[in-house]
Amino acid sequence: MINKLVEKIKKTGAPIVVGLDPMMKFVPEHIQKRAFADYGETLEGAGEAIWQYNKALVDHIYDLIPAVKPQIAMYEQFGIPGLIAFKKTVDYCREKGLVVIGDVKRGDIGSTSEAYAVAHLGKVQVGSQLCSSFDEDFATVNPYLGSDGVKPFLKVCKEEGKGIFVLVKTSNPSSGELQDRVIEDAGRPLYEVVGEQVAGWAEEVMGDTYSYIGAVVGATYPEMGKALRKIMPKSYILVPGYGAQGGKGKDLVHFFQEDGLGAIVNSSRGIIAAYQQEKYASFGAEHFGEAARAAVEDMREDIAGALNRR
Amino acid sequence: MINKLVEKIKKTGAPIVVGLDPMMKFVPEHIQKRAFADYGETLEGAGEAIWQYNKALVDHIYDLIPAVKPQIAMYEQFGIPGLIAFKKTVDYCREKGLVVIGDVKRGDIGSTSEAYAVAHLGKVQVGSQLCSSFDEDFATVNPYLGSDGVKPFLKVCKEEGKGIFVLVKTSNPSSGELQDRVIEDAGRPLYEVVGEQVAGWAEEVMGDTYSYIGAVVGATYPEMGKALRKIMPKSYILVPGYGAQGGKGKDLVHFFQEDGLGAIVNSSRGIIAAYQQEKYASFGAEHFGEAARAAVEDMREDIAGALNRR
């Protein structure tokens, strides 16, 4: 799957992943109204609204981008109907040829982590049958519990040809509270210690040029991105924090290798709610898909320009 | 909800939470057969099997214990039908008067962490309505992303009178890889740094005697439990790792306060799959519920004995 991701990034010229994080306030009124008319102001109505919103977004942008990243929390908040919308979104995006990164940030120990790996990337045994559950292509993984929590994912990645992105340095303001603390016996911050673990795991599950095991490093910390790029040479870096969180094209260049590969940058509300920004307001809420398409094109230019200028 | 938990622990004399982690290999054959006959060897069949298994277990033990802790990974692996079984289990246990600790280990940033908090403990806005999604009483939370990831949970806990247990020192063998590393400027290991954060959050959301904000500390690390007990005086400690993972009654005493409160010990397979142990084999698979009941009683004696001997 990492090979497919790299190939699609080359083909589209867009090292971009669109975060399908459908907060209700992003969903245009006409879609909400229709869903609530059919299902009431219920969890089912909310699930229908976010599914219709996602579908229209994907229809407008799928040819421009290699991948999408649905954030499962935004679906989980609507209970079972929300998770049905998540599953429909994953399946629809895969049908459209997109690589699907499930932003699930799961992580537990032993057999429990294995259950999460199976839930999101693998197949589960039911009697004599093997069944797929959510079946994303990649998942994000939290490393706080140590390698016990990550190894079951490595196993499933090997079996299924799928991948993970391990949280190394997250994009949020307080990520430094733990991640930046200097580890005494290592003389390095925690995020570098985790980065070194990722580099080791990456060697174990290699694709053609990059590993199935990648890392999450926030756009909001470009200097740390530079250091981590060197520590994890075989890993793709998934970079959140562009756009709404303040990261800009020029902040991103150090996350990439010299050949322009090695990183994929996420934007969520900057794309999916582009129609709510002044810059794209002229599209109108009815044409939120076209606004999203324009925002993807602008983001591609911004990143390409920054990479060309370095 | 922490007041209810403390009250129920006093009433039952059992500082015990039963982990409802229904791995398929624990589900007795007669239950699997019936479910597969009705729904086939499908995710629906698996969901039905684990729900029937849980329901029978709860019917046999609900009067002995204050709380249950369903591990969502074990349901998530069966996709939507698995999560429907999770939701049914949560609702059924609450109907039976049990406190439900959702072992979800979620954690993300800002609005995403808020969505998880709403999904598991709060209510979500849908149009003009407020809807409940999974609606557990407590949830477990991963702290790796810093306080941005935890604060949205504190907000929902305050609003809803619910609680969380933050992962501080987990029970698994590799938990030390990150959690035990000494932080240079603090001169203390990471788990103590996190424990101090928990103590601060705990002050913000107090119940009558204990805080709504607790911590997870593994039974397998009794000396660390002793230190953390002092660092977090207002927090209940949820203690996994008893039984199958190797923790024994005598390892647990330092997790408790002098009055015998302050900790609640989890056992999962040791209870729910008791019928598979030699000790309880005479019950037979048909009577797995009675075996679980006997195992709860034995665990209560083991802990009470250890607390009396200190």
Side-chain angles (χ1 to χ4, degrees):
Chain A
M1 203 39 75
I2 186 68
N3 300 335
K4 181 179 172 188
L5 182 63
V6 172
E7 188 191 302
K8 281 190 72 86
I9 289 172
K10 285 184 186 165
K11 203 171 135 194
T12 55
I16 292 175
V17 51
V18 173
L20 295 176
D21 308 350
M23 296 177 79
M24 220 31 141
K25 65 184 180 192
F26 301 156
V27 180
E29 195 121 339
H30 66 281
I31 292 184
Q32 292 196 36
K33 269 192 183 153
R34 211 183 308 142
F36 295 160
D38 289 348
Y39 296 89
E41 289 181 341
T42 59
L43 297 177
E44 287 73 18
E48 174 67 9
I50 61 180
W51 156 239
Q52 293 298 342
Y53 174 56
N54 280 349
K55 185 171 177 302
L57 283 167
V58 170
D59 285 341
H60 280 90
I61 60 175
Y62 76 94
D63 58 317
L64 294 182
I65 55 171
V68 289
K69 181 173 76 62
Q71 165 52 261
I72 202 169
M74 296 302 167
Y75 304 81
E76 207 164 302
Q77 67 181 330
F78 299 114
I80 301 294
L83 289 161
I84 291 172
F86 177 82
K87 173 64 177 153
K88 279 177 167 172
T89 300
V90 170
D91 289 348
Y92 188 70
C93 291
R94 293 188 67 187
E95 272 168 48
K96 287 283 189 183
L98 291 163
V99 173
V100 178
I101 302 170
D103 197 354
V104 299
K105 296 191 177 66
R106 300 304 193 242
D108 208 290
I109 62 175
S111 58
T112 311
S113 235
E114 196 173 329
Y116 278 132
V118 159
H120 291 285
L121 303 174
K123 295 188 187 70
V124 64
Q125 189 86 39
V126 181
S128 61
Q129 302 296 312
L130 281 176
C131 304
S132 288
S133 298
F134 289 105
D135 209 16
E136 300 113 273
D137 298 312
F138 286 85
T140 54
V141 172
N142 187 310
Y144 185 68
L145 291 90
S147 54
D148 294 341
V150 177
K151 283 183 176 163
F153 280 92
L154 303 186
K155 178 171 162 274
V156 172
C157 287
K158 278 180 202 163
E159 287 165 5
E160 302 286 338
K162 295 194 172 181
I164 56 171
F165 292 97
V166 179
L167 304 186
V168 173
K169 171 67 189 173
T170 55
S171 59
N172 54 309
S174 76
S175 69
E177 284 176 12
L178 304 182
Q179 298 163 26
D180 293 3
R181 304 297 285 268
V182 174
I183 302 299
E184 198 172 68
D185 64 350
R188 284 188 297 283
L190 181 61
Y191 65 81
E192 290 195 9
V193 172
V194 178
E196 284 156 17
Q197 286 190 308
V198 170
W201 296 324
E203 296 280 356
E204 288 180 40
V205 202
M206 279 298 295
D208 291 344
T209 48
Y210 284 94
S211 172
Y212 288 88
I213 312 306
V216 174
V217 185
T220 39
Y221 300 102
E223 286 306 311
M224 298 176 187
K226 195 174 179 175
L228 287 164
R229 178 64 289 167
K230 289 193 185 113
I231 291 171
M232 308 177 295
K234 304 284 176 62
S235 288
Y236 244 77
I237 301 180
L238 170 62
V239 189
Y242 176 86
Q245 287 183 54
K248 293 195 176 33
K250 68 177 169 48
D251 299 328
L252 298 170
V253 295
H254 301 306
F255 293 84
F256 288 87
Q257 305 279 21
E258 287 302 313
D259 60 3
L261 294 172
I264 184 162
V265 182
N266 180 75
S267 179
S268 301
R269 72 185 67 187
I271 306 291
I272 68 172
Y275 79 96
Q276 293 180 343
Q277 295 172 43
E278 213 183 309
K279 188 174 175 188
Y280 304 104
S282 63
F283 284 98
E286 286 284 339
H287 299 282
F288 66 97
E290 286 91 336
R293 188 173 178 90
V296 168
E297 287 171 337
D298 289 345
M299 181 175 172
R300 186 180 59 192
E301 297 314 306
D302 181 36
I303 295 174
L307 288 176
N308 284 336
R309 276 190 301 277
R310 72 171 169 179
Chain B
M1 203 40 76
I2 186 67
N3 300 335
K4 181 179 171 188
L5 182 63
V6 173
E7 188 192 302
K8 281 188 72 84
I9 290 172
K10 285 184 189 168
K11 203 171 133 194
T12 56
I16 291 175
V17 51
V18 173
L20 294 176
D21 308 350
M23 295 178 79
M24 218 34 139
K25 66 184 178 190
F26 301 157
V27 179
E29 196 121 338
H30 67 283
I31 292 185
Q32 292 194 36
K33 269 194 181 152
R34 210 183 311 140
F36 295 159
D38 290 347
Y39 295 89
E41 289 181 340
T42 59
L43 297 178
E44 285 75 17
E48 174 67 9
I50 60 180
W51 157 239
Q52 293 298 342
Y53 174 55
N54 280 348
K55 185 171 175 303
L57 284 166
V58 170
D59 285 342
H60 279 89
I61 59 175
Y62 76 93
D63 58 317
L64 294 182
I65 55 171
V68 290
K69 181 172 76 62
Q71 165 51 263
I72 201 168
M74 295 302 167
Y75 304 81
E76 208 165 301
Q77 66 181 331
F78 299 114
I80 301 292
L83 288 162
I84 291 173
F86 176 81
K87 173 64 178 155
K88 278 177 168 172
T89 300
V90 170
D91 289 349
Y92 189 69
C93 292
R94 292 188 68 188
E95 272 168 47
K96 286 283 190 184
L98 291 163
V99 172
V100 179
I101 301 170
D103 197 354
V104 300
K105 296 191 179 62
R106 301 304 193 242
D108 207 291
I109 63 175
S111 57
T112 310
S113 234
E114 196 174 327
Y116 277 133
V118 159
H120 292 284
L121 303 175
K123 295 189 187 70
V124 64
Q125 189 86 40
V126 180
S128 61
Q129 302 295 312
L130 280 176
C131 304
S132 289
S133 297
F134 288 103
D135 209 17
E136 300 113 274
D137 297 312
F138 286 84
T140 54
V141 172
N142 186 310
Y144 185 68
L145 291 92
S147 53
D148 295 342
V150 178
K151 284 187 177 161
F153 281 92
L154 303 187
K155 179 171 160 275
V156 172
C157 287
K158 279 180 202 165
E159 288 165 5
E160 302 286 338
K162 293 193 171 181
I164 57 173
F165 292 96
V166 178
L167 304 185
V168 172
K169 171 66 187 174
T170 55
S171 59
N172 54 309
S174 77
S175 69
E177 284 176 12
L178 304 182
Q179 297 164 26
D180 293 2
R181 304 298 284 268
V182 174
I183 302 299
E184 198 172 67
D185 63 351
R188 286 188 295 283
L190 181 61
Y191 66 81
E192 289 196 8
V193 171
V194 178
E196 285 157 16
Q197 286 190 309
V198 170
W201 296 323
E203 297 279 355
E204 289 179 40
V205 200
M206 280 297 295
D208 290 343
T209 48
Y210 283 93
S211 172
Y212 289 88
I213 311 308
V216 175
V217 184
T220 39
Y221 300 103
E223 286 306 312
M224 298 177 187
K226 194 173 179 176
L228 287 164
R229 178 65 288 167
K230 288 193 185 113
I231 291 170
M232 309 177 295
K234 305 283 177 64
S235 289
Y236 243 77
I237 301 181
L238 170 62
V239 189
Y242 177 86
Q245 288 182 54
K248 294 193 174 37
K250 68 177 170 48
D251 299 328
L252 297 171
V253 295
H254 300 306
F255 293 83
F256 288 86
Q257 305 279 22
E258 287 303 312
D259 60 3
L261 295 172
I264 184 163
V265 183
N266 181 74
S267 178
S268 301
R269 73 185 66 187
I271 307 290
I272 68 173
Y275 78 97
Q276 294 180 344
Q277 295 171 43
E278 215 183 307
K279 187 173 175 189
Y280 304 103
S282 63
F283 285 98
E286 287 283 339
H287 298 282
F288 66 98
E290 286 90 337
R293 188 173 179 91
V296 168
E297 286 170 340
D298 289 345
M299 181 175 172
R300 187 181 57 191
E301 298 314 305
D302 181 35
I303 295 174
L307 288 177
N308 285 335
R309 278 190 300 277
R310 72 171 170 179

